[in-house]
Amino acid sequence: MSTIAVIGGTGMDAWPGLEVKRRLEVPTPYGNTSAPLLQGRIYDCDAIFLARHGEGHKIPPHSINYRANLWALREVGVTHVIGIGAVGAIARWFEPGALAVPSDIIDYTWGRAHTYSDGGAGSQLQHIEFNAPYAASVRSVLLESAQLAGLSAHDGGVHGVTQGPRLESPAEVRRMRQDGCDMIGMTGMPEAALAAELELAYGCLAVSVNWAAGIGSGDIHGEIHRSIEIGMSRVRSVLERALPALIGGLQVVE
Ligand code: HPA
């Protein structure tokens, strides 16, 4: 039996349909989480929701206390985490509104508290493997759940994570494309690496909300405005199938 958490980001600061039973303020050695963990019921399942940017979407990507967030989730017994990420698309296959389940990451962030292996009292120096930044178990459930929901979610893709909060310049996007990135977000790291340090099974459900700078119409905020609602409604449809599947031992149920 697993305990599932969903970390919602831009466009998903709340989880419509979640019947909140408890608001958990979990103390951690790293300080406070972005928001109380919302423990409740949805789709006939127990689940926990955490608003990555805090209630009211106030915390910028570089100021999120990723260490406290992941630590607190593990503390309350979470084993599987689905991180929802609104991203800008570089790859042509990823038009705004579409979903993807990325398979790899490039970290362009800097200055974030990005590890529990920080030499502090009681911390163990750990060189975790990051061969598979996203857990195969969570990825496959997300992909199968999208299919059952009648949606297509792209299988794979490289998630480039930038510092933000500003968007990129076209030259930065060209460089990222040359590096192999298919999409750009601002919060995927250190979230994925910290989850790996804590041995949480972590997967990302990415929603394209705009073409990255220099690729689309140039009206990035307009694209976000037009695509975020449909993208997030697709995310909810995937979660509706993925939650019972993860809880039921990774068997996707119709
Ligand atoms: N760049 C970085 N992060 C983002 C973008 C983008 O274009 N869109 C949504 N999050």
Side-chain angles (χ1 to χ4, degrees):
M1 169 94 168
S2 15
T3 303
I4 318 297
V6 170
I7 304 180
T10 299
M12 194 178 172
D13 292 313
W15 193 0
L18 180 71
E19 189 192 325
V20 178
K21 305 274 190 206
R22 289 201 297 166
R23 290 168 59 88
L24 305 171
E25 309 225 2
V26 183
T28 83
Y30 305 97
N32 295 332
T33 55
S34 296
L37 310 185
L38 302 183
Q39 188 178 51
R41 296 278 297 170
I42 188 164
Y43 318 136
D44 253 345
C45 298
D46 290 321
I48 289 180
F49 179 75
L50 173 59
R52 188 187 279 125
H53 295 276
E55 288 174 325
H57 199 81
K58 296 209 176 83
I59 310 173
H62 61 285
S63 303
I64 290 168
N65 193 342
Y66 297 95
R67 289 198 299 184
N69 286 351
L70 276 301
W71 190 274
L73 291 176
R74 191 189 60 168
E75 202 68 13
V76 300
V78 165
T79 52
H80 292 70
V81 180
I82 301 172
I84 310 300
V87 297
I90 298 178
R92 292 286 171 201
W93 48 259
F94 205 13
E95 76 272 1
L99 303 179
V101 181
S103 49
D104 213 337
I105 296 182
I106 300 178
D107 186 4
Y108 298 92
T109 69
W110 48 270
R112 301 184 181 189
H114 66 286
T115 179
Y116 298 106
S117 253
D118 61 355
S123 94
Q124 282 268 319
L125 178 55
Q126 241 193 322
H127 297 285
I128 56 153
E129 287 187 15
F130 213 38
N131 287 329
Y134 299 110
S137 56
V138 180
R139 290 194 69 251
S140 63
V141 164
L142 289 172
L143 288 165
E144 287 174 50
S145 299
Q147 210 170 28
L148 285 173
L151 297 166
S152 67
H154 188 90
D155 182 356
V158 177
H159 185 178
V161 187
T162 56
Q163 182 73 349
R166 70 162 175 83
L167 296 164
E168 299 69 38
S169 69
E172 287 169 332
V173 173
R174 280 198 300 279
R175 187 184 72 168
M176 292 179 76
R177 185 203 287 281
Q178 279 164 13
D179 285 353
C181 294
D182 295 299
M183 64 195 82
I184 316 175
M186 299 176 188
T187 56
M189 287 292 282
E191 196 169 276
L194 292 166
E197 286 190 16
L198 295 180
E199 298 183 357
L200 296 168
Y202 177 91
C204 172
L205 182 56
V207 195
S208 168
V209 292
N210 60 280
W211 293 112
I215 296 180
S217 65
D219 175 21
I220 291 183
H221 285 115
E223 286 170 1
I224 294 174
H225 183 72
R226 287 188 292 277
S227 60
I228 201 155
E229 253 324 301
I230 178 74
M232 290 303 158
S233 75
R234 290 174 177 154
V235 163
R236 293 194 294 275
S237 299
V238 174
L239 292 177
E240 188 169 352
R241 275 97 186 159
L243 248 72
L246 283 168
I247 286 169
L250 309 174
Q251 280 300 304
V252 176
V253 287
E254 280 184 80

